[in-house]
Amino acid sequence: MEEKDVQGEVANDYPFAYLVTAPRFLGYSFNPVSFWYLYNEEKQLRAMILEVNNTFDERRMYFLKDTILKDPDESWTVIEHPRSKFKDTWPKDFHVSPFNSRKGSYALSAQDPFSAHLNGTCKVDNTITLSSSKANVKLIARVFSDQPSIDPTTLGAWARLRFIASWWWVGFVTFPRIVREAGKLFFRRKLHVWYRPEVSKDSIGRHATEDEALDHSIKYTSPIPSSTTAEIFTPKHTISPEEPSSQPQQPIEIKITTPLFYARLARYTHMSEFLSTEILKTDDDDKTRTFYVSHPRPFLQLFEESEKKPNSLDQRASSTTTTPKRRSPLSWRFLHWLRSCRRRQSFGPQKRPSLSSSQMTDIRHLGFSQLDRFAMRHESSHQAARYRRTVTKMLLSDMVAFGHPEALDAVAYVTRVMLSYVFVGAVRVIWEWWDRRQRRGRGTWVHYCGDESWSEWETW
């Protein structure tokens, strides 16, 4: 645990920790859930951390306290005898299985591995119960040990080798086993499949793809954090100078929950259009939100004020369609055309937000986005070219591949394979034609030169 408060807790209150997880072998490890046991200075189990991972490379850390310690009237000092069972319940807010929604709750009943009555056997026995939003039990999972624990420091070389040979394959077959069971539930049981929502602000998003990592490397959105960690800052002005206020400035917390944020940002022409679409989503659209802001309206006003300044990026650009000559103008114009043809998302007649009383300006005619112009003017030629190709692929995928750039990559790969096959076949045909022509010419030369020359040619 880091040296900071987590959910009102201090890391120094838990000086001892014990981890139950699957080990990494040959650089690979997949753990659906890992258990952290946290002990106080008296080595009494007081809290646990459940590190839950799904198959989409997303993670959720649940900090749990024993139910007896959640009563504000109770104090740790009144517990005279250590408890051997740890119990807690908490709401479900993380997508683990496509056959269950994010609604419901979990309940944990865990055995303290270092409980006094176990006499040092270090027994693991954890039971997790998943209940629906209607309090109906849907799933019961249990992790327990049926043999005494093993101390690796007491094992010899041969015993260690036998242990590794017996367990090295378990981590590699965990994911295939999950896929197999999912196939049974879908094809045999015909269970309903829930669409995977984006993670909440308390979860850890997946790793970025190559395209998202490139958009991430364009250092344009300096007020926005460049990772999934939260950042807090206090703006100098959250309102316009014409509207003074005596209220103190509120710190604004910003957290990018998923790298999909960068891919969506690159698709929009205007920064404020993207932010207003993402931030002001209704509760029904919260599952597609890519970042979290504690105070949405003051945060949006920061960008509105920056766009009105004469030294803003839009004002410095001489023209929205001007492309530097050193930047392959034809390719940039193709990107400009794609942006002009892109369909804009709509809030609908009842969901359209009203940020302020100022007059709204239609910005959909702009071809190049703010990020495009920034990349053209401030990035190197190589970086700008990579950015242009990435965004072009994203916009093309929206038009022909339902927004999946991976589909275009697959089509490009198949096309390259087919072109390579055609090229090799063409080279082979030309070579055979050239060989037949040479043989025909040699045969004519032998016909006129006689048998002696034929013998010499055959030997050669």
Side-chain angles (χ1 to χ4, degrees):
M1 296 180 63
E2 299 181 0
E3 294 294 332
K4 63 180 182 180
D5 292 346
V6 180
Q7 297 183 8
E9 302 293 332
V10 182
N12 293 333
D13 293 338
Y14 309 99
F16 303 101
Y18 180 74
L19 173 63
V20 175
T21 186
R24 184 181 299 273
F25 188 80
L26 296 179
Y28 176 80
S29 175
F30 178 73
N31 298 296
V33 58
S34 300
F35 301 91
W36 292 84
Y37 301 81
L38 306 182
Y39 297 86
N40 60 7
E41 295 181 355
E42 291 75 21
K43 296 185 179 180
Q44 297 176 352
L45 180 61
R46 289 296 182 239
M48 290 186 65
I49 296 178
L50 265 62
E51 184 178 342
V52 183
N53 300 274
N54 60 16
T55 55
F56 306 103
D57 194 24
E58 297 169 342
R59 183 182 303 175
R60 178 68 164 96
M61 310 286 284
Y62 292 107
F63 181 83
L64 311 177
K65 294 184 65 175
D66 201 343
T67 53
I68 193 174
L69 300 176
K70 289 187 175 182
D71 189 351
D73 297 332
E74 293 287 346
S75 175
W76 290 11
T77 58
V78 301
I79 305 177
E80 298 180 356
H81 302 285
R83 292 163 52 86
S84 60
K85 279 290 185 178
F86 180 96
K87 296 182 179 181
D88 193 13
T89 59
W90 67 97
K92 183 178 186 292
D93 60 357
F94 183 65
H95 182 80
V96 178
S97 170
F99 304 106
N100 294 308
S101 65
R102 287 201 304 193
K103 298 180 181 179
S105 62
Y106 286 113
L108 171 67
S109 177
Q111 174 75 50
D112 184 0
F114 299 99
S115 180
H117 77 279
L118 293 179
N119 298 323
T121 57
C122 193
K123 181 180 180 181
V124 176
D125 190 355
N126 300 334
T127 302
I128 299 178
T129 304
L130 172 62
S131 301
S132 65
S133 57
K134 299 180 180 180
N136 297 324
V137 177
K138 301 182 64 176
L139 176 67
I140 299 177
R142 185 187 178 197
V143 179
F144 63 97
S145 55
D146 55 358
Q147 295 182 4
S149 59
I150 300 176
D151 186 359
T153 60
T154 61
L155 298 179
W158 178 248
R160 294 181 183 182
L161 183 62
R162 289 182 56 188
F163 179 81
I164 295 176
S166 302
W167 291 98
W168 69 269
W169 56 273
V170 175
F172 292 99
V173 300
T174 300
F175 183 78
R177 284 175 173 176
I178 294 176
V179 175
R180 183 190 62 183
E181 297 300 324
K184 293 180 180 179
L185 295 176
F186 180 74
F187 293 105
R188 295 183 183 179
R189 302 295 183 179
K190 307 296 182 181
L191 293 185
H192 173 74
V193 176
W194 295 84
Y195 175 76
R196 182 187 69 85
E198 298 299 333
V199 297
S200 61
K201 67 180 184 68
D202 296 324
S203 302
I204 302 176
R206 57 177 174 78
H207 291 83
T209 62
E210 183 179 357
D211 297 338
E212 294 166 344
L214 177 61
D215 294 336
H216 177 192
S217 64
I218 303 297
K219 303 299 184 181
Y220 172 67
T221 56
S222 56
I224 300 179
S226 58
S227 64
T228 57
T229 58
E231 291 190 6
I232 300 177
F233 71 98
T234 302
K236 296 181 180 180
H237 299 286
T238 56
I239 58 176
S240 60
E242 292 79 6
E243 300 178 0
S245 175
S246 60
Q247 296 181 357
Q249 306 299 335
Q250 296 179 339
I252 299 178
E253 180 183 359
I254 304 173
K255 180 180 180 181
I256 298 177
T257 57
T258 170
L260 182 61
F261 167 88
Y262 304 103
R264 289 186 180 178
L265 173 62
R267 286 174 163 88
Y268 278 82
T269 301
H270 217 271
M271 178 70 69
S272 59
E273 180 189 10
F274 166 73
L275 294 176
S276 60
T277 303
E278 289 291 313
I279 294 178
L280 300 180
K281 287 183 177 180
T282 60
D283 295 338
D284 297 337
D285 299 329
D286 184 66
K287 296 179 180 180
T288 61
R289 188 172 296 171
T290 58
F291 72 107
Y292 164 79
V293 178
S294 59
H295 299 85
R297 293 187 181 277
F299 179 75
L300 290 177
Q301 289 176 0
L302 291 175
F303 286 88
E304 287 183 348
E305 291 180 2
S306 63
E307 291 170 359
K308 295 177 182 179
K309 294 180 180 179
N311 59 345
S312 63
L313 183 61
D314 290 341
Q315 299 295 334
R316 291 198 306 265
S318 59
S319 173
T320 58
T321 59
T322 301
T323 306
K325 294 182 179 180
R326 65 184 181 91
R327 300 290 195 186
S328 181
L330 184 60
S331 301
W332 284 101
R333 289 174 183 172
F334 180 66
L335 174 60
H336 176 275
W337 177 80
L338 287 177
R339 289 198 179 278
S340 301
C341 297
R342 180 178 178 270
R343 297 179 179 179
R344 294 298 191 274
Q345 297 180 355
S346 176
F347 286 97
Q350 300 178 353
K351 295 184 179 181
R352 190 177 185 86
S354 178
L355 299 181
S356 63
S357 59
S358 60
Q359 185 179 0
M360 298 182 62
T361 303
D362 187 7
I363 60 177
R364 292 178 294 178
H365 66 281
L366 300 178
F368 287 123
S369 68
Q370 294 172 318
L371 198 58
D372 296 340
R373 294 192 293 275
F374 183 87
M376 288 188 292
R377 295 178 181 275
H378 299 280
E379 295 292 334
S380 62
S381 300
H382 175 69
Q383 189 76 354
R386 289 185 59 198
Y387 166 81
R388 186 198 67 243
R389 290 192 296 267
T390 300
V391 178
T392 300
K393 181 175 64 174
M394 290 180 180
L395 296 178
L396 279 176
S397 66
D398 292 341
M399 300 176 64
V400 300
F402 303 99
H404 295 284
E406 299 82 5
L408 294 183
D409 292 336
V411 172
Y413 177 79
V414 173
T415 302
R416 287 195 295 267
V417 172
M418 295 180 62
L419 290 177
S420 300
Y421 179 80
V422 171
F423 176 77
V424 172
V427 171
R428 181 178 180 182
V429 170
I430 294 175
W431 174 260
E432 291 178 353
W433 172 80
W434 180 258
D435 186 65
R436 288 197 300 269
R437 182 179 179 182
Q438 294 295 324
R439 288 179 179 274
R440 188 180 299 109
R442 290 170 180 172
T444 303
W445 179 78
V446 171
H447 175 75
Y448 284 103
C449 293
D451 296 338
E452 184 178 356
S453 300
W454 170 261
S455 300
E456 295 177 357
W457 177 81
E458 195 174 33
T459 302
W460 174 77

